[in-house]
Amino acid sequence: SQVRTRPGLGRMAVLTAVAQRQPIALNAYAVNRSSEGISVFTVDPQTGELDAGSEAPVGCRPDHVALDPRGRYAWIVDAEAWTLSTADLDAAGAITGLPEGVVTLPGEPQGLATDASGRFLFVTVSDPGRVLCFKVASEGGTPLLVQEVPVPDGPREIACDPTGRFLHLSAGNTVQTLPFSNGELGWEAHATLLTGDPTAVRFAPDGKTAYVGLEAGRILIPCAVEATSGQLVPLPDAALPTTGLRPVSLLPCLDGQRAVVLLADDAMGTSQVLGLDLGEDGRTLTAGAASPLDHPAGGMALNPRSTRLFTTDPLGDRMDLFALPQDGALDLPLQQVTTGVQPEAVLVRRGLE
């Protein structure tokens, strides 16, 4: 999963730890583009309450950030400097020192993701369009570039499906699906046409359904996921228009029957969180409560239980914590905490007991 933090194009993801090495805390990270730092907060597992937190400098502009599913590292891409760096995380979630293992990328980076095991990283670059596959050593250190695969139409966002068998790339008006097996990407992509500037792909917990927001088309569309090829099959009859608002991100809840969507009103400079009912099959999008936010779209993330929602205000330099009821209607924030300057994304590291 990955985060893209260009102004107004916040991306976020909740990453699930899959391998236990030692107890680690439940943390929320606000990615602060202008102050070139990441604010680290400890999250109470029961209430979702955040501690005071502190900002750790990362020595570069964090345009894209991904968390190690095992909770040990944060990977940071600077799109201006064309670099990929690795920051160590301790058991409390703190970033220990400036990032190391800096890799110079062969093009302007557009997206960043890790597979479910945390052993491989993927970066999309432009001019020409490629996806780079890096191997991560068990002891960390500098990721090793092991493969480059050309991707037409300017690849941007990246998502790995829950099975770890496929990589999905937003490119032009398509989503390109590449097989991934034994640490190697396939060379032939399956392309799904989704006219309207598709953004990052998000998956239902069972991996059988994917959701794509069309930024230019102002619509959300569910897709069936082919079991053998991983290709997305659009379900246009179940698509949901976003009433002229730009879809920024969709996050399915743990039960697979609800989701929340962050929508941007670019003309007004505001945003809103829309609750969705996905139906029993996860493929019927029904709009629920819409909760306005008084700031442009930033980042959004769920806690592991899908009972708390974190959002960032890139103009107010803060992160808000909301209770998330079943209907998705947000009340006043339970808590507001100060971040660094221009927090455009938030990520959650799931704690291990």
Side-chain angles (χ1 to χ4, degrees):
S1 296
Q2 59 89 38
V3 170
R4 178 184 181 183
T5 62
R6 291 183 180 178
L9 293 177
R11 300 286 188 269
M12 64 304 295
V14 179
L15 299 173
T16 303
V18 295
Q20 181 172 346
R21 294 175 62 90
Q22 62 175 331
I24 62 174
L26 174 63
N27 300 102
Y29 298 88
V31 181
N32 309 312
R33 189 171 187 268
S34 292
S35 55
E36 297 190 349
I38 296 178
S39 297
V40 183
F41 301 91
T42 300
V43 182
D44 185 292
Q46 302 301 320
T47 66
E49 185 175 353
L50 302 159
D51 68 357
S54 61
E55 185 178 24
V58 295
C60 63
R61 193 179 72 182
D63 291 299
H64 310 273
V65 180
L67 293 180
D68 171 20
R70 296 167 293 184
R72 302 182 302 169
Y73 312 110
W75 293 290
I76 304 164
V77 160
D78 183 331
E80 188 173 55
W82 293 14
T83 58
L84 166 68
S85 53
T86 304
D88 292 328
L89 305 178
D90 66 16
I95 296 174
T96 56
L98 289 174
E100 299 177 345
V102 178
V103 176
T104 299
L105 300 169
E108 182 180 357
Q110 304 295 316
L112 170 68
T114 176
D115 76 329
S117 72
R119 296 176 54 228
F120 293 92
L121 279 173
F122 307 98
V123 181
T124 48
V125 298
S126 58
D127 301 324
R130 286 160 290 169
V131 57
L132 313 177
C133 178
F134 292 87
K135 187 174 182 179
V136 179
S138 58
E139 66 276 9
T142 304
L144 176 65
L145 178 61
V146 294
Q147 192 179 11
E148 295 186 34
V149 176
V151 179
D153 301 324
R156 295 176 291 123
E157 305 290 352
I158 320 173
C160 295
D161 80 314
T163 69
R165 298 169 50 222
F166 305 103
L167 192 68
H168 302 270
L169 314 170
S170 300
N173 283 319
T174 66
V175 173
Q176 309 271 345
T177 300
L178 288 168
F180 182 66
S181 178
N182 298 318
E184 184 174 356
L185 287 166
W187 290 86
E188 184 175 349
H190 296 279
T192 298
L193 181 64
L194 289 167
T195 302
D197 193 14
T199 61
V201 179
R202 298 290 179 257
F203 291 92
D206 63 9
K208 296 179 180 180
T209 305
Y211 308 96
V212 184
L214 303 182
E215 286 194 335
R218 302 298 200 256
I219 196 169
L220 301 168
I221 185 165
C223 300
V225 181
E226 276 282 335
T228 54
S229 69
Q231 185 172 10
L232 306 187
V233 179
L235 304 171
D237 291 343
L240 179 69
T242 56
T243 61
L245 302 180
R246 175 171 56 86
V248 177
S249 181
L250 183 150
L251 300 178
C253 293
L254 184 63
D255 60 13
Q257 297 182 12
R258 298 176 298 130
V260 286
V261 184
L262 183 63
L263 301 173
D265 187 334
D266 296 322
M268 299 299 295
T270 59
S271 56
Q272 67 175 237
V273 174
L274 175 68
L276 288 183
D277 184 337
L278 302 178
E280 292 187 3
D281 61 357
R283 298 179 178 181
T284 305
L285 307 189
T286 304
S291 303
L293 304 176
D294 61 355
H295 54 76
M300 180 175 72
L302 291 166
N303 71 333
R305 299 180 181 179
S306 301
T307 58
R308 296 291 185 266
L309 181 72
F310 306 94
T311 66
T312 58
D313 177 354
L315 296 183
D317 300 337
R318 73 171 197 262
M319 181 158 64
D320 294 349
L321 168 68
F322 296 92
L324 184 65
Q326 286 289 320
D327 63 2
L330 304 183
D331 205 338
L332 294 175
L334 299 174
Q335 188 181 12
Q336 295 180 322
V337 294
T338 301
T339 65
V341 182
Q342 200 179 358
E344 291 188 341
V346 54
L347 302 97
V348 170
R349 180 179 81 157
R350 181 171 182 172
L352 292 175
E353 298 179 354

mmCIF file of all heavy atoms in Angstrom, residues 84 103-106 112-113 115 118-125 131-137 142-147 180 183 185:
data_model
loop_
_atom_site.group_PDB
_atom_site.id
_atom_site.type_symbol
_atom_site.label_atom_id
_atom_site.label_comp_id
_atom_site.label_asym_id
_atom_site.label_seq_id
_atom_site.Cartn_x
_atom_site.Cartn_y
_atom_site.Cartn_z
ATOM 1 N N LEU A 84 14.524 7.193 -3.092
ATOM 2 C CA LEU A 84 13.812 6.273 -2.211
ATOM 3 C C LEU A 84 14.697 6.037 -0.996
ATOM 4 O O LEU A 84 15.871 5.690 -1.135
ATOM 5 C CB LEU A 84 13.540 4.947 -2.924
ATOM 6 C CG LEU A 84 13.093 3.758 -2.063
ATOM 7 C CD1 LEU A 84 11.704 3.986 -1.490
ATOM 8 C CD2 LEU A 84 13.132 2.457 -2.885
ATOM 9 N N VAL A 103 18.294 5.452 -2.310
ATOM 10 C CA VAL A 103 18.445 4.953 -3.674
ATOM 11 C C VAL A 103 18.019 6.061 -4.636
ATOM 12 O O VAL A 103 16.950 6.652 -4.476
ATOM 13 C CB VAL A 103 17.574 3.705 -3.917
ATOM 14 C CG1 VAL A 103 17.668 3.246 -5.366
ATOM 15 C CG2 VAL A 103 17.961 2.586 -2.968
ATOM 16 N N THR A 104 18.861 6.347 -5.630
ATOM 17 C CA THR A 104 18.496 7.297 -6.674
ATOM 18 C C THR A 104 17.675 6.574 -7.733
ATOM 19 O O THR A 104 18.093 5.547 -8.271
ATOM 20 C CB THR A 104 19.744 7.921 -7.316
ATOM 21 O OG1 THR A 104 20.485 8.621 -6.305
ATOM 22 C CG2 THR A 104 19.353 8.916 -8.402
ATOM 23 N N LEU A 105 16.498 7.110 -8.040
ATOM 24 C CA LEU A 105 15.578 6.470 -8.976
ATOM 25 C C LEU A 105 15.851 6.944 -10.401
ATOM 26 O O LEU A 105 16.294 8.079 -10.612
ATOM 27 C CB LEU A 105 14.133 6.784 -8.577
ATOM 28 C CG LEU A 105 13.734 6.304 -7.176
ATOM 29 C CD1 LEU A 105 12.384 6.887 -6.769
ATOM 30 C CD2 LEU A 105 13.695 4.783 -7.115
ATOM 31 N N PRO A 106 15.572 6.107 -11.409
ATOM 32 C CA PRO A 106 15.899 6.438 -12.800
ATOM 33 C C PRO A 106 14.839 7.268 -13.516
ATOM 34 O O PRO A 106 14.841 7.347 -14.745
ATOM 35 C CB PRO A 106 16.022 5.063 -13.448
ATOM 36 C CG PRO A 106 15.056 4.218 -12.705
ATOM 37 C CD PRO A 106 15.114 4.707 -11.278
ATOM 38 N N LEU A 112 4.175 4.478 -4.901
ATOM 39 C CA LEU A 112 4.981 3.596 -4.050
ATOM 40 C C LEU A 112 4.060 2.622 -3.345
ATOM 41 O O LEU A 112 2.987 2.998 -2.873
ATOM 42 C CB LEU A 112 5.753 4.434 -3.019
ATOM 43 C CG LEU A 112 6.468 3.710 -1.877
ATOM 44 C CD1 LEU A 112 7.644 2.894 -2.406
ATOM 45 C CD2 LEU A 112 6.947 4.718 -0.843
ATOM 46 N N ALA A 113 4.475 1.357 -3.279
ATOM 47 C CA ALA A 113 3.691 0.344 -2.566
ATOM 48 C C ALA A 113 4.616 -0.771 -2.109
ATOM 49 O O ALA A 113 5.718 -0.950 -2.641
ATOM 50 C CB ALA A 113 2.585 -0.222 -3.453
ATOM 51 N N ASP A 115 4.494 -5.111 -0.970
ATOM 52 C CA ASP A 115 3.636 -6.294 -0.984
ATOM 53 C C ASP A 115 3.274 -6.654 0.449
ATOM 54 O O ASP A 115 3.772 -6.070 1.412
ATOM 55 C CB ASP A 115 4.317 -7.452 -1.715
ATOM 56 C CG ASP A 115 5.403 -8.121 -0.895
ATOM 57 O OD1 ASP A 115 6.042 -7.435 -0.071
ATOM 58 O OD2 ASP A 115 5.626 -9.324 -1.078
ATOM 59 N N GLY A 118 6.079 -7.468 2.966
ATOM 60 C CA GLY A 118 7.079 -6.464 3.288
ATOM 61 C C GLY A 118 8.450 -6.781 2.722
ATOM 62 O O GLY A 118 9.421 -6.083 3.026
ATOM 63 N N ARG A 119 8.561 -7.803 1.876
ATOM 64 C CA ARG A 119 9.853 -8.196 1.311
ATOM 65 C C ARG A 119 10.133 -7.531 -0.031
ATOM 66 O O ARG A 119 11.263 -7.592 -0.525
ATOM 67 C CB ARG A 119 9.918 -9.717 1.170
ATOM 68 C CG ARG A 119 9.860 -10.476 2.482
ATOM 69 C CD ARG A 119 9.819 -11.977 2.256
ATOM 70 N NE ARG A 119 10.939 -12.405 1.421
ATOM 71 C CZ ARG A 119 10.816 -13.215 0.364
ATOM 72 N NH1 ARG A 119 9.616 -13.653 0.007
ATOM 73 N NH2 ARG A 119 11.864 -13.576 -0.333
ATOM 74 N N PHE A 120 9.096 -6.902 -0.628
ATOM 75 C CA PHE A 120 9.284 -6.269 -1.924
ATOM 76 C C PHE A 120 8.613 -4.896 -1.938
ATOM 77 O O PHE A 120 7.535 -4.706 -1.374
ATOM 78 C CB PHE A 120 8.721 -7.141 -3.046
ATOM 79 C CG PHE A 120 9.465 -8.431 -3.239
ATOM 80 C CD1 PHE A 120 9.057 -9.580 -2.575
ATOM 81 C CD2 PHE A 120 10.589 -8.489 -4.048
ATOM 82 C CE1 PHE A 120 9.744 -10.774 -2.722
ATOM 83 C CE2 PHE A 120 11.284 -9.677 -4.198
ATOM 84 C CZ PHE A 120 10.869 -10.823 -3.533
ATOM 85 N N LEU A 121 9.284 -3.958 -2.603
ATOM 86 C CA LEU A 121 8.773 -2.610 -2.806
ATOM 87 C C LEU A 121 8.580 -2.376 -4.298
ATOM 88 O O LEU A 121 9.335 -2.902 -5.123
ATOM 89 C CB LEU A 121 9.768 -1.567 -2.290
ATOM 90 C CG LEU A 121 9.826 -1.248 -0.806
ATOM 91 C CD1 LEU A 121 11.001 -0.310 -0.550
ATOM 92 C CD2 LEU A 121 8.541 -0.611 -0.345
ATOM 93 N N PHE A 122 7.584 -1.546 -4.628
ATOM 94 C CA PHE A 122 7.324 -1.204 -6.015
ATOM 95 C C PHE A 122 7.228 0.314 -6.144
ATOM 96 O O PHE A 122 6.572 0.970 -5.332
ATOM 97 C CB PHE A 122 6.027 -1.847 -6.498
ATOM 98 C CG PHE A 122 5.968 -3.333 -6.267
ATOM 99 C CD1 PHE A 122 5.299 -3.850 -5.162
ATOM 100 C CD2 PHE A 122 6.605 -4.207 -7.132
ATOM 101 C CE1 PHE A 122 5.256 -5.214 -4.929
ATOM 102 C CE2 PHE A 122 6.559 -5.573 -6.912
ATOM 103 C CZ PHE A 122 5.895 -6.084 -5.809
ATOM 104 N N VAL A 123 7.895 0.861 -7.159
ATOM 105 C CA VAL A 123 7.860 2.295 -7.432
ATOM 106 C C VAL A 123 7.555 2.487 -8.908
ATOM 107 O O VAL A 123 8.194 1.862 -9.767
ATOM 108 C CB VAL A 123 9.205 2.977 -7.096
ATOM 109 C CG1 VAL A 123 9.117 4.482 -7.364
ATOM 110 C CG2 VAL A 123 9.607 2.720 -5.645
ATOM 111 N N THR A 124 6.582 3.345 -9.222
ATOM 112 C CA THR A 124 6.340 3.714 -10.614
ATOM 113 C C THR A 124 7.107 4.988 -10.914
ATOM 114 O O THR A 124 7.162 5.911 -10.096
ATOM 115 C CB THR A 124 4.847 3.919 -10.903
ATOM 116 O OG1 THR A 124 4.272 4.762 -9.887
ATOM 117 C CG2 THR A 124 4.108 2.617 -10.947
ATOM 118 N N VAL A 125 7.707 5.044 -12.112
ATOM 119 C CA VAL A 125 8.425 6.237 -12.557
ATOM 120 C C VAL A 125 7.971 6.573 -13.970
ATOM 121 O O VAL A 125 7.440 5.728 -14.700
ATOM 122 C CB VAL A 125 9.961 6.036 -12.525
ATOM 123 C CG1 VAL A 125 10.440 5.774 -11.105
ATOM 124 C CG2 VAL A 125 10.383 4.900 -13.442
ATOM 125 N N VAL A 131 7.615 0.287 -13.913
ATOM 126 C CA VAL A 131 7.460 -0.064 -12.513
ATOM 127 C C VAL A 131 8.744 -0.760 -12.089
ATOM 128 O O VAL A 131 9.242 -1.661 -12.765
ATOM 129 C CB VAL A 131 6.211 -0.946 -12.251
ATOM 130 C CG1 VAL A 131 6.230 -2.219 -13.066
ATOM 131 C CG2 VAL A 131 6.089 -1.272 -10.765
ATOM 132 N N LEU A 132 9.306 -0.301 -10.977
ATOM 133 C CA LEU A 132 10.550 -0.840 -10.443
ATOM 134 C C LEU A 132 10.235 -1.762 -9.280
ATOM 135 O O LEU A 132 9.414 -1.416 -8.421
ATOM 136 C CB LEU A 132 11.466 0.285 -9.957
ATOM 137 C CG LEU A 132 11.659 1.480 -10.890
ATOM 138 C CD1 LEU A 132 12.538 2.536 -10.214
ATOM 139 C CD2 LEU A 132 12.251 1.052 -12.210
ATOM 140 N N CYS A 133 10.854 -2.915 -9.237
ATOM 141 C CA CYS A 133 10.674 -3.874 -8.150
ATOM 142 C C CYS A 133 11.967 -3.935 -7.341
ATOM 143 O O CYS A 133 13.039 -4.213 -7.889
ATOM 144 C CB CYS A 133 10.316 -5.250 -8.706
ATOM 145 S SG CYS A 133 10.131 -6.540 -7.433
ATOM 146 N N PHE A 134 11.868 -3.670 -6.038
ATOM 147 C CA PHE A 134 13.012 -3.713 -5.136
ATOM 148 C C PHE A 134 12.829 -4.860 -4.139
ATOM 149 O O PHE A 134 11.725 -5.090 -3.638
ATOM 150 C CB PHE A 134 13.136 -2.407 -4.341
ATOM 151 C CG PHE A 134 13.504 -1.206 -5.157
ATOM 152 C CD1 PHE A 134 12.518 -0.452 -5.789
ATOM 153 C CD2 PHE A 134 14.818 -0.816 -5.292
ATOM 154 C CE1 PHE A 134 12.848 0.673 -6.534
ATOM 155 C CE2 PHE A 134 15.169 0.306 -6.036
ATOM 156 C CZ PHE A 134 14.176 1.046 -6.657
ATOM 157 N N LYS A 135 13.904 -5.522 -3.817
ATOM 158 C CA LYS A 135 13.885 -6.540 -2.773
ATOM 159 C C LYS A 135 14.398 -5.931 -1.482
ATOM 160 O O LYS A 135 15.399 -5.206 -1.473
ATOM 161 C CB LYS A 135 14.745 -7.742 -3.169
ATOM 162 C CG LYS A 135 14.625 -8.913 -2.193
ATOM 163 C CD LYS A 135 15.371 -10.143 -2.695
ATOM 164 C CE LYS A 135 15.197 -11.316 -1.740
ATOM 165 N NZ LYS A 135 15.910 -12.528 -2.226
ATOM 166 N N VAL A 136 13.708 -6.238 -0.370
ATOM 167 C CA VAL A 136 14.079 -5.730 0.944
ATOM 168 C C VAL A 136 14.709 -6.858 1.734
ATOM 169 O O VAL A 136 14.089 -7.909 1.933
ATOM 170 C CB VAL A 136 12.848 -5.173 1.694
ATOM 171 C CG1 VAL A 136 13.244 -4.666 3.071
ATOM 172 C CG2 VAL A 136 12.183 -4.065 0.877
ATOM 173 N N ALA A 137 15.918 -6.677 2.185
ATOM 174 C CA ALA A 137 16.601 -7.699 2.972
ATOM 175 C C ALA A 137 15.932 -7.848 4.330
ATOM 176 O O ALA A 137 15.323 -6.909 4.854
ATOM 177 C CB ALA A 137 18.073 -7.346 3.143
ATOM 178 N N THR A 142 19.536 -0.917 2.460
ATOM 179 C CA THR A 142 19.177 -0.341 1.172
ATOM 180 C C THR A 142 18.401 -1.346 0.321
ATOM 181 O O THR A 142 18.900 -2.445 0.066
ATOM 182 C CB THR A 142 20.438 0.092 0.407
ATOM 183 O OG1 THR A 142 21.196 0.996 1.226
ATOM 184 C CG2 THR A 142 20.071 0.785 -0.892
ATOM 185 N N PRO A 143 17.181 -0.997 -0.132
ATOM 186 C CA PRO A 143 16.451 -1.912 -1.029
ATOM 187 C C PRO A 143 17.231 -2.132 -2.319
ATOM 188 O O PRO A 143 17.870 -1.219 -2.851
ATOM 189 C CB PRO A 143 15.129 -1.173 -1.290
ATOM 190 C CG PRO A 143 14.994 -0.199 -0.164
ATOM 191 C CD PRO A 143 16.391 0.200 0.188
ATOM 192 N N LEU A 144 17.175 -3.355 -2.826
ATOM 193 C CA LEU A 144 17.928 -3.734 -4.019
ATOM 194 C C LEU A 144 16.997 -3.799 -5.221
ATOM 195 O O LEU A 144 16.006 -4.528 -5.211
ATOM 196 C CB LEU A 144 18.588 -5.097 -3.804
ATOM 197 C CG LEU A 144 19.349 -5.699 -5.000
ATOM 198 C CD1 LEU A 144 20.556 -4.844 -5.359
ATOM 199 C CD2 LEU A 144 19.754 -7.139 -4.699
ATOM 200 N N LEU A 145 17.321 -3.022 -6.262
ATOM 201 C CA LEU A 145 16.527 -3.053 -7.486
ATOM 202 C C LEU A 145 16.766 -4.376 -8.209
ATOM 203 O O LEU A 145 17.896 -4.704 -8.569
ATOM 204 C CB LEU A 145 16.906 -1.886 -8.400
ATOM 205 C CG LEU A 145 16.181 -1.808 -9.752
ATOM 206 C CD1 LEU A 145 14.676 -1.658 -9.560
ATOM 207 C CD2 LEU A 145 16.732 -0.662 -10.594
ATOM 208 N N VAL A 146 15.687 -5.149 -8.423
ATOM 209 C CA VAL A 146 15.834 -6.463 -9.051
ATOM 210 C C VAL A 146 15.121 -6.566 -10.391
ATOM 211 O O VAL A 146 15.368 -7.513 -11.146
ATOM 212 C CB VAL A 146 15.327 -7.579 -8.111
ATOM 213 C CG1 VAL A 146 16.210 -7.680 -6.876
ATOM 214 C CG2 VAL A 146 13.871 -7.365 -7.703
ATOM 215 N N GLN A 147 14.237 -5.593 -10.714
ATOM 216 C CA GLN A 147 13.489 -5.720 -11.963
ATOM 217 C C GLN A 147 12.893 -4.379 -12.365
ATOM 218 O O GLN A 147 12.484 -3.579 -11.515
ATOM 219 C CB GLN A 147 12.369 -6.761 -11.808
ATOM 220 C CG GLN A 147 11.706 -7.184 -13.110
ATOM 221 C CD GLN A 147 10.619 -8.236 -12.874
ATOM 222 O OE1 GLN A 147 10.219 -8.501 -11.755
ATOM 223 N NE2 GLN A 147 10.137 -8.833 -13.958
ATOM 224 N N PHE A 180 2.430 -11.277 -10.088
ATOM 225 C CA PHE A 180 3.635 -11.226 -9.257
ATOM 226 C C PHE A 180 3.765 -12.571 -8.548
ATOM 227 O O PHE A 180 2.879 -12.983 -7.805
ATOM 228 C CB PHE A 180 3.538 -10.093 -8.234
ATOM 229 C CG PHE A 180 4.753 -9.952 -7.370
ATOM 230 C CD1 PHE A 180 5.974 -9.576 -7.911
ATOM 231 C CD2 PHE A 180 4.678 -10.198 -6.001
ATOM 232 C CE1 PHE A 180 7.103 -9.444 -7.112
ATOM 233 C CE2 PHE A 180 5.796 -10.068 -5.200
ATOM 234 C CZ PHE A 180 7.015 -9.692 -5.755
ATOM 235 N N GLY A 183 8.686 -13.417 -6.279
ATOM 236 C CA GLY A 183 9.526 -12.233 -6.315
ATOM 237 C C GLY A 183 9.740 -11.638 -7.685
ATOM 238 O O GLY A 183 10.637 -10.806 -7.868
ATOM 239 N N LEU A 185 7.821 -9.921 -11.271
ATOM 240 C CA LEU A 185 6.659 -9.411 -11.985
ATOM 241 C C LEU A 185 6.572 -10.025 -13.371
ATOM 242 O O LEU A 185 7.597 -10.244 -14.037
ATOM 243 C CB LEU A 185 6.743 -7.891 -12.130
ATOM 244 C CG LEU A 185 6.488 -7.055 -10.874
ATOM 245 C CD1 LEU A 185 6.938 -5.623 -11.101
ATOM 246 C CD2 LEU A 185 5.020 -7.100 -10.489
#
